[in-house]
Amino acid sequence: YAKKNHLQHKTQPRMAVTMLNYLESRLKKAGLEFNLVITADSAFDCKDLWKVCRRHNQHSQYRWTIITATDPARCLGSNGSKATRLAGQKVLDALHQEPLVRKQKIDFFEQTGIALRSRQKLSDQQTGTTSSSTVYSYAQKQLRVADIGDSNVVLSYKLLDPSQDESEFHFRLLLCSDLQMPATQIIAYYAMRWEVETFFREQKSNF
């Protein structure tokens, strides 16, 4: 709407870039640093977020990492600096050639150090934490992805019923900027994004 009507606007990824640049400058002035993991539901228009994380990691021992889901139709990228799209060469097809680690239980707290909160509202005084785990099958490979570049790519199948096999209709294709992060950790961080969002929503409603 804003673009159509020539109004000043920023997309959500551009707002995130602005926030990260501000955070980085403030941390630098304060002499503080920490590891940061950013999760997103889509890699669309997120290439500038990847650039911010890579730039930060070049001059810091603390890692900034972005983990996003991406479209199964996403293509591989060329070896050039812009990682130009290679038509017909899909990331998903490359993952299907990798061996599948089948039916592994992933404990989210163990992988991330973040305790899942109970789903009761703070107003109910139910503020205890709990760990949670789910069974996944997955494949992992480092690939060069169109528009983004070198990525740690994970094909993840969530198995609500561990007795069943993987379904072609229930999977996520995840991209991670940290090329060394294990697949189990990538899956756990992505799975917990909703819990983190819910936590902040509850905090804002009570203060």
Side-chain angles (χ1 to χ4, degrees), residues 35 41 112 154 178:
N35 294 318
D41 281 329
T112 66
V154 174
D178 184 343

Coordinates of all heavy atoms in Angstrom, one line a residue, residues 35 41 112 154 178:
N35 N 26.6 -13.3 22.1 CA 26.1 -14.1 20.9 C 24.6 -13.8 20.7 O 23.8 -13.6 21.6 CB 26.2 -15.6 21.2 CG 27.7 -16.0 21.3 OD1 28.5 -15.5 20.5 ND2 28.0 -16.8 22.2
D41 N 10.6 -16.5 9.7 CA 9.7 -17.5 9.0 C 10.0 -17.6 7.5 O 9.6 -18.5 6.9 CB 8.2 -17.1 9.2 CG 7.7 -17.6 10.6 OD1 8.3 -18.6 11.1 OD2 6.8 -16.9 11.1
T112 N 19.7 -25.3 23.1 CA 19.8 -23.8 23.0 C 20.0 -23.1 24.4 O 20.4 -22.0 24.4 CB 18.4 -23.2 22.5 OG1 17.4 -23.5 23.5 CG2 18.0 -23.8 21.2
V154 N 19.4 -27.1 6.2 CA 18.9 -28.3 6.9 C 17.5 -28.6 6.3 O 16.6 -27.7 6.3 CB 18.8 -28.0 8.4 CG1 18.1 -29.2 9.1 CG2 20.2 -27.8 9.0
D178 N 25.5 -19.5 10.2 CA 26.6 -20.2 10.9 C 26.9 -21.5 10.3 O 26.1 -22.5 10.4 CB 26.3 -20.3 12.4 CG 27.5 -20.9 13.2 OD1 28.4 -21.4 12.6 OD2 27.5 -20.8 14.4

